[in-house]
Amino acid sequence: MPERAEAGPPPPADAAAATRPRPVPPDAAAMPPSAPDASTGPTSSALSSPPPRPPGSMADLDPTNDLVTGPPDPIPDCEARLEAAGVRSDPASLPVRRRPNGDVCGVEQAVTYREGPTGIRWSPHPVASCGLALALARLEAVAQEEAERFLGSRITRIEQGGTTACRRIARFPGMMSEHSFANGIDVRSFKLADGRTVTVQRWFGPTDEEPATPEGRFLRSLAHRLYDEDVFSVVLTAFWDRLHDDHFHLDLARYRVDGTR
Ligand SMILES: [Zn+2]
């Protein structure tokens, strides 16, 4: 499905950084060669263990790979993880290919997301990387919580505007869009069991004001949680630019962008 050009993440702050050695993670740099005295501080394993996060929170938290763009790495046990997340899916074919101009598109482990853990009907069914499919399952759970909290109803259907398009990011033509790897999705509206439809375009509201409606509060809170709880690496809304006033762009790039506030 053709999709409108959209803005993406900011380019690296310093383009020359791409050619420098990658920074060493601060934790590793600060660690002495021998283990610290257990009586005076936390053990090395306590320092290196990240806090647990819910399955399906798929954001890439590694700051050392932010300049890497390309198809996502395969996920071990993809099928088993999808099944454990309550996702019913079919294999899809989106082979990794290099175009004559050097652009690489496609992904291993592409799936068609048929149904997730809360029974939301996705329209159309997303073609997704394994990671995106896992994140969509988490999105369902978070969105249902927020819909019940702000709107007193459950979500029955989500309209999405596309996951796949082999292209560069319109505003940052040096970078490939995550849509090139079925690793991003544009979410446009939520239909509720009580018959209401919450479109991003109508209900997100002006970004210089607090949302005035329950629908607006639902959309703002959902966007915040999808970023803050690391469900996606990148969450872009109307706060990012006007190209996102009618949909949320959500993706699993290796860098982070909070476009929700
Ligand atoms: Zn998008």
Side-chain angles (χ1 to χ4, degrees):
M1 176 183 306
E3 126 172 338
R4 56 192 282 194
E6 67 180 29
D14 177 358
T19 59
R20 290 189 202 130
R22 288 193 197 153
V24 177
D27 277 357
M31 285 296 293
S34 57
D37 184 338
S39 66
T40 59
T43 63
S44 59
S45 66
L47 281 174
S48 61
S49 301
R53 54 182 186 162
S57 292
M58 300 300 294
D60 188 318
L61 305 183
D62 179 357
T64 68
N65 65 2
D66 285 2
L67 297 177
V68 177
T69 56
D73 297 325
I75 293 177
D77 304 322
C78 173
E79 274 183 43
R81 287 186 62 175
L82 288 171
E83 197 175 321
V87 175
R88 192 165 59 80
S89 64
D90 296 323
S93 178
L94 205 64
V96 176
R97 292 207 170 101
R98 182 178 295 273
R99 289 182 159 187
N101 69 356
D103 290 352
V104 175
C105 289
V107 63
E108 294 179 54
Q109 299 178 319
V111 299
T112 301
Y113 187 100
R114 297 288 177 198
E115 190 173 33
T118 76
I120 289 173
R121 194 164 150 223
W122 289 78
S123 178
H125 293 299
V127 173
S129 66
C130 182
L132 179 61
L134 290 166
L136 293 180
R138 180 70 190 142
L139 178 155
E140 285 198 21
V142 173
Q144 295 289 21
E145 288 174 13
E146 297 306 287
E148 289 189 349
R149 181 174 158 212
F150 288 103
L151 305 167
S153 188
R154 300 271 294 172
I155 297 164
T156 56
R157 182 182 177 103
I158 292 177
E159 299 279 347
Q160 59 99 3
T163 56
T164 61
C166 183
R167 61 173 173 78
R168 290 164 177 257
I169 298 172
R171 279 172 57 193
F172 305 103
M175 301 172 69
M176 295 300 290
S177 163
E178 291 298 310
H179 288 296
S180 303
F181 322 121
N183 209 28
I185 190 168
D186 297 329
V187 171
R188 297 187 172 278
S189 71
F190 302 84
K191 182 160 192 208
L192 304 176
D194 65 12
R196 280 180 287 175
T197 297
V198 181
T199 62
V200 173
Q201 183 164 43
R202 176 169 175 195
W203 294 105
F204 195 76
T207 52
D208 55 355
E209 297 171 11
E210 289 299 310
T213 63
E215 288 86 351
R217 286 191 279 276
F218 158 74
L219 291 171
R220 301 279 181 104
S221 182
L222 174 60
H224 288 157
R225 286 191 64 187
L226 294 178
Y227 185 82
D228 295 343
E229 297 178 21
D230 303 327
V231 182
F232 294 94
S233 301
V234 173
V235 179
L236 303 183
T237 71
F239 281 96
W240 181 248
D241 66 17
R242 293 294 310 276
L243 295 175
H244 294 85
D245 63 6
D246 64 357
H247 68 280
F248 290 169
H249 168 91
L250 314 168
D251 77 46
L252 294 173
R254 293 178 175 86
Y255 47 80
R256 302 296 310 266
V257 179
D258 178 3
T260 72
R261 39 178 66 92

